[in-house]
Amino acid sequence: MRDSRTRLAAVAVLLALVIAWPMVAQAAARVVAPLGWAESARAAPAAQRRASEWKDALGLPLEQVASERDNDRFVETVAVFERPEPVAELVFTSEEAAIEALALVVAPVVGEQPPVAGEIRTVATGEQVVWAQWSVDEVTYECVLAPSGDTATIVIMAVLPSDFGFQRERLDEIVSSLEGVTTPMPKFSLVSWLVGAALVWLALALALHALMLAFVDQDHDHKQAGTRASVIMLALVVVGTVAAYVQLGDRAFAIAYAGGSLNGLTMWIFLTGIIVAGGHFLIVSRLDRGVIRSAPETGAFASGIYSTSDVLRSSITRTNMRMRTEEPAAASGSWAAAPSEAQPPDEDSGVFGPD
């Protein structure tokens, strides 16, 4: 019953460690196409060409295209791009900082001139986004910067100034109905990762040790279980370091903002794992000093476990016993003489004479 509980506890700890270190992927936010608009492959060819040009200028992945129905005039276009960097909380400290952050991102499309209007807006889900408007080459652009977890979403909308009054309400609806918007990325806690990495590796080493005792080493040999656990731990350190590097790849901006670097944090995770595995091996190698399977039931070696001090104490005891045995023999002199040295009986004494 006790062994079953130990196994269940070890499995539970291992599963908890797997769940505690997940691999999370965050997609860009999406727009809800207004009624009568087409999106993706059904969007107007002119809108798709325009979105492709924006994609090349921005150097960002194009996630979604929506447009008004194709006609002889300018096709209103909405394009959604994903930037593999989080939107930091610092961006939303003021409207000026937020608009400046948006302007830097969309500058390849709208140019370097400042926007004619801009503000921080709240979408239907209660999250905040940055909105700004530009007028370039007889085209009105409305752009949005929206946090979306580990990434940032850029929305660019283009209409003719002559149609802007008619499309204004529709464009506002597109902004307010954005899906997938999250809170800005908080400041990356570098200390939590540094300390947490060491604690996770330590917990993993203990969990592996418990698993080896429960399922492999039925004699509860901590030295053997710890050795096996340390070997497995080394392999998991390599796998875990690679997984951490992949997970933290999209957070390089946040790590740099926190004063660290992706490579430095990854190296810390790897080294702490190696240190924990090595330290675990050194500790368990000293737990068992040796077991005497044929140990006597009583005496100095009754426990079946002996150390150097036990051996020295036993040797001194045996030496003293021999010395005490030899001292009476040396003092008795003739009493200790051998039978071969004794004098033969005198035949004249008559002791052995004829009857």
Side-chain angles (χ1 to χ4, degrees):
M1 186 69 176
R2 186 176 180 181
D3 291 340
S4 299
R5 292 179 179 179
T6 303
R7 295 178 181 179
L8 290 176
V11 172
V13 171
L14 193 59
L15 290 177
L17 290 173
V18 174
I19 297 173
W21 207 344
M23 300 288 291
V24 180
Q26 181 70 39
R30 293 183 62 84
V31 300
V32 178
L35 184 63
W37 283 45
E39 62 176 316
S40 301
R42 296 188 300 272
Q48 295 189 33
R49 288 194 300 270
R50 188 176 296 116
S52 180
E53 293 174 358
W54 295 344
K55 172 186 176 182
D56 295 337
L58 296 174
L60 299 176
L62 176 62
E63 299 295 328
Q64 185 184 9
V65 179
S67 72
E68 184 70 274
R69 296 296 183 181
D70 197 1
N71 51 45
D72 296 334
R73 305 184 60 191
F74 184 89
V75 180
E76 288 77 10
T77 305
V78 177
V80 179
F81 302 90
E82 182 180 15
R83 188 182 186 188
E85 294 179 359
V87 179
E89 287 180 332
L90 185 63
V91 171
F92 288 88
T93 55
S94 66
E95 282 193 350
E96 292 77 9
I99 295 172
E100 182 180 358
L102 173 59
L104 289 175
V105 177
V106 299
V109 175
V110 301
E112 301 292 339
Q113 66 271 23
V116 296
E119 62 182 356
I120 295 178
R121 292 186 178 182
T122 302
V123 299
T125 58
E127 308 298 343
Q128 292 184 322
V129 299
V130 186
W131 168 88
Q133 182 185 107
W134 284 265
S135 181
V136 182
D137 297 333
E138 299 182 352
V139 177
T140 299
Y141 293 91
E142 288 199 354
C143 302
V144 174
L145 171 62
S148 52
D150 289 350
T151 64
T153 299
I154 310 298
V155 182
I156 299 179
M157 300 172 284
V159 298
L160 289 177
S162 58
D163 295 334
F164 181 74
F166 172 74
Q167 297 288 352
R168 179 59 185 269
E169 184 177 352
R170 191 169 295 176
L171 297 180
D172 290 343
E173 181 183 351
I174 291 175
V175 175
S176 63
S177 62
L178 277 172
E179 297 178 344
V181 179
T182 65
T183 56
M185 175 65 68
K187 183 178 180 180
F188 188 86
S189 181
L190 193 60
V191 175
S192 297
W193 272 88
L194 296 178
V195 177
L199 294 179
V200 167
W201 290 134
L202 180 60
L204 182 59
L206 296 177
L208 289 174
H209 190 102
L211 286 174
M212 293 300 103
L213 286 177
F215 295 101
V216 180
D217 299 307
Q218 300 296 330
D219 295 331
H220 298 285
D221 186 349
H222 288 277
K223 182 177 181 179
Q224 186 178 20
T227 301
R228 292 177 176 176
S230 298
V231 173
I232 298 175
M233 180 75 178
L234 291 176
L236 292 180
V237 166
V238 176
V239 176
T241 302
V242 174
Y245 182 83
V246 174
Q247 180 184 5
L248 294 172
D250 293 339
R251 300 187 181 184
F253 175 78
I255 297 173
Y257 176 75
S261 66
L262 176 60
N263 292 336
L265 182 56
T266 305
M267 183 59 65
W268 169 267
I269 294 173
F270 177 74
L271 291 178
T272 52
I274 294 297
I275 292 174
V276 169
H280 179 252
F281 174 77
L282 292 178
I283 292 174
V284 298
S285 63
R286 296 178 176 273
L287 289 180
D288 296 330
R289 299 179 180 178
V291 178
I292 303 177
R293 300 301 179 185
S294 59
E297 297 181 358
T298 59
F301 302 105
S303 63
I305 301 175
Y306 66 93
S307 62
T308 303
S309 59
D310 297 327
V311 175
L312 293 176
R313 190 182 301 110
S314 177
S315 300
I316 295 174
T317 301
R318 291 198 298 269
T319 301
N320 290 337
M321 292 178 63
R322 287 198 302 269
M323 292 177 63
R324 292 175 183 177
T325 304
E326 293 172 357
E327 285 178 358
S332 61
S334 60
W335 295 352
S340 60
E341 296 178 0
Q343 296 292 331
D346 188 1
E347 296 181 359
D348 296 337
S349 61
V351 177
F352 299 102
D355 296 334

